[in-house]
Amino acid sequence: MFEFELEALKITWNSISQRKLRSTLTVIGIAIGIAAIISLVSISEGLKQTITKQLQQFGANKIVVMPFASTSTTSSFASSYFTEDDVKKVEKVSGVELVVPFLLKTVSVEYKGEKELIMVAGIEPEKTKNLFENIQGYELESGSFLRKNDKTSVILGNAVAHDMFSEEVEVGDKIKIGDKTFRVKGILKRVGNRLDDNTIVVPMNPLREITGEQKEITMMMVEAKNAEEVEKVAERIRKKLEDYWKKGTFTVLTTRQLAERIKIITSAMTIFLGGIAAISLIVAGIGIANTMLMSVMEKTREIGIMKAIGATNKDVLKIFLIESILLSIIGGIVGCGIGILGSKSLNGVSMVQGGVPLRTSVPPSLIAFGLGFSAIVGIIFGLWPAYKAATLNPVEALRYE
Amino acid sequence: MKYIVECKNVWKVYNPESSAEVKALRGINMKIKKGEFISIMGSSGSGKSTLLHCIGCLDTPTKGKIYIDGVDVSKLNDDELALVRRYKIGFVFQFFNLVPSLTALENVELPMVFAGIPKNERRKRAIQLLEIVGLGKRLYHHPNQLSGGEQQRVAIARALANDPELILADEPTGNLDSKSGAEVMKVFKTLNKKFGKTIVIVTHDPLVAKTTKRIVKIKDGKIIGGE
Ligand SMILES: Nc1ncnc2c1ncn2[C@@H]1O[C@H](COP(=O)(O)OP(=O)(O)O)[C@@H](O)[C@H]1O
Ligand SMILES: [Mg+2]
């Protein structure tokens, strides 16, 4: 069994190693394509998992309500908003435990003479504790949450306290937001996403006074009484708001729906990046075809000899297919190695400064895919040269100089 | 079956019905008995190689029939012809035609590789054959490390690999000095005498032809004596 194939492998290995430069160049072509596939796919899969994990921390019973279509661009983000009336309507929907309205504004913040533009989230102070304690990973590093009627206290995101200003901000320090001075009451632990770590939580009413926005609500976060009913509650909120808002001008999404959307987007990214890498493999495949055609030409006489001593067309076809598959598999192995290194080197790196570190991994299935794909490239692009070799006329091949 | 080769009115026409038409063989009739040692002699361009290729199933005649060991090979397809070449025929060429990247031993093993013979058996037989042709000490040499006469003897050992009844040699001494040529002819003689192989040697050299037991003369694609 496979006696012939093994021997053919030895013969082709000889011929490949005798043409070192050409074989190396061919192998590099394949290796680049496979390395690109492995690293790009593993990075985008890592990204998908990172985002999904973050959403899981968010809790399954959360519903986000936004005053713009989920398909719209960020420009409408600013122009459209909810009001306190909308909040009251949502609060009345059955199954809703708590509605946390946010007013998000970018405001000039001053600390010890230094000014920075910072995202400020206005929240009713009594809801801060409830909100943060309900979401995994959002804990205080020091200080305490805001209390009802708190008007002059704020909570800082971790990066605001430690990275934003040249001097660290501590609990009890004074900080100026707009034209009002606040006292830092609490500092959050590092969450790992840029938005939250760089935000200041401010009581709603003082923020309205600073910005002059009297009724605007940027978005609402809703907590359902029970996680199993969250989809139904979301549907009820949607129905309710449709009485006042035109369909498609607002968005109600549960955590799961949000996760699914992100999955679709990142999957599309995986396919897109993988596709680009696959195109580079087609180019590499053409390189294989070229190398093999040269090999067939150089070995024309040997093909004649093999046929004269009893090789069938199929034997010759096999020998040349084995040669092209060998080239492409070597490329595949090298490419997998490079791809794994590439993926490893990006493990733990953040896509944005201060963002969640990316967790990349190369699962065995991806390596199997890489090797399998390289072999398929070898077969497809080796087939025509091998067929040419197999169907050479033996007498003419023997006469070839 | 008494005859190993029978040619009946064999024609080979290259580029038929064009200005480049060549009638290389014009109605060859010939019979070769099993165990014969025979030469086909003629001047250059007389059609010797063409005839040998047709007998050796490397090429098919335009017209007529060729029987190898009683089988009409003019009706066989590519794969069937390959099997006849593999098991029934051994070729020896003027320019040796060894595979340069393989050692003497591996060259002799090659026909057995196609026959699917296991490694150990293959190796053992190849060594035996190389000893028969007097190259027991040159097993691991590559063709470019061997003299012309030695290369031709490796080629003869290779022709014997799958133990064919019929050895076809096309100008086997044509590229050798007279001493090496004589050695090669001696090997053929031994194969015929000791191992009973049927040997057909194509040559334009009367001295070479004389060492065989029968001489068939060919001119302009026709047999003119010795058939
Ligand atoms: N492939 C071919 N195409 C056209 N003519 C050929 C071909 N092979 C041989 N010939 C011609 O056929 C004739 C016989 O050739 P060949 O059998 O090689 O002669 P020999 O071996 O006796 O020298 C010559 O005239 C030669 O030119
Ligand atoms: Mg000739």
Side-chain angles (χ1 to χ4, degrees), chain B residues 119-152:
Chain B
K119 176 112 201 158
N120 287 338
E121 203 179 318
R122 217 161 64 203
R123 184 123 298 190
K124 220 171 95 192
R125 179 160 171 78
I127 292 171
Q128 274 174 3
L129 290 171
L130 282 165
E131 279 166 355
I132 288 174
V133 299
L135 289 173
K137 294 206 169 83
R138 296 279 188 279
L139 302 181
Y140 303 104
H141 286 56
H142 280 86
N144 60 4
Q145 298 167 317
L146 296 169
S147 73
E150 286 171 330
Q151 287 187 57
Q152 196 60 303

Side-chain angles (χ1 to χ4, degrees), chain B residues 48-49 170-171:
Chain B
K48 307 182 295 293
S49 293
D170 192 352
E171 310 262 14

Side-chain angles (χ1 to χ4, degrees), chain A residues 166-361:
Chain A
S166 45
E167 272 189 68
E168 300 240 335
V169 189
E170 280 167 25
V171 172
D173 283 350
K174 291 212 162 94
I175 191 164
K176 206 171 158 192
I177 300 175
D179 53 3
K180 279 184 192 288
T181 303
F182 294 84
R183 207 176 55 81
V184 176
K185 194 167 187 193
I187 294 170
L188 286 172
K189 278 192 181 163
R190 184 169 287 274
V191 176
N193 86 59
R194 188 160 93 129
L195 210 58
D196 292 334
D197 283 337
N198 286 297
T199 301
I200 300 177
V201 178
V202 183
M204 183 75 93
N205 286 333
L207 184 59
R208 288 204 190 289
E209 284 163 29
I210 292 165
T211 59
E213 291 292 351
Q214 287 318 305
K215 49 186 173 92
E216 179 177 334
I217 300 282
T218 314
M219 60 175 281
M220 293 180 246
M221 204 166 86
V222 180
E223 210 183 294
K225 277 200 177 93
N226 112 33
E228 284 89 70
E229 283 202 341
V230 68
E231 308 287 340
K232 277 186 204 152
V233 175
E235 192 50 43
R236 273 182 232 138
I237 294 172
R238 210 171 283 133
K239 282 256 167 61
K240 183 82 187 170
L241 286 176
E242 265 169 27
D243 295 344
Y244 308 88
W245 287 67
K246 248 208 256 156
K247 220 176 185 164
T249 58
F250 66 96
T251 305
V252 181
L253 281 180
T254 63
T255 315
R256 195 177 57 76
Q257 289 166 338
L258 206 58
E260 266 164 21
R261 288 197 182 196
I262 286 166
K263 247 185 207 158
I264 290 169
I265 292 166
T266 49
S267 297
M269 192 169 82
T270 303
I271 291 167
F272 177 71
L273 292 177
I276 288 175
I279 288 171
S280 81
L281 261 189
I282 291 175
V283 176
I286 293 168
I288 285 203
N290 184 50
T291 299
M292 289 310 299
L293 281 173
M294 279 170 83
S295 172
V296 169
M297 211 166 77
E298 284 168 5
K299 285 194 239 166
T300 299
R301 205 182 168 106
E302 277 178 43
I303 294 164
I305 296 169
M306 290 195 280
K307 289 194 154 188
I309 63 176
T312 60
N313 292 0
K314 212 172 118 194
D315 291 336
V316 176
L317 186 91
K318 266 194 203 163
I319 288 173
F320 283 90
L321 262 189
I322 285 174
E323 183 169 336
S324 72
I325 294 171
L326 194 59
L327 280 172
S328 64
I329 290 256
I330 293 171
I333 291 170
V334 173
C336 280
I338 298 172
I340 290 168
L341 287 182
S343 159
K344 276 232 170 88
S345 70
L346 282 171
N347 191 19
V349 171
S350 302
M351 298 302 271
V352 288
Q353 201 201 346
V356 184
L358 193 62
R359 290 284 160 230
T360 62
S361 69

Side-chain angles (χ1 to χ4, degrees), chain B residues 4-19:
Chain B
I4 183 94
V5 179
E6 265 187 278
C7 296
K8 286 187 177 162
N9 190 30
V10 171
W11 285 73
K12 181 71 186 182
V13 182
Y14 292 111
N15 315 314
E17 284 160 48
S18 77
S19 57

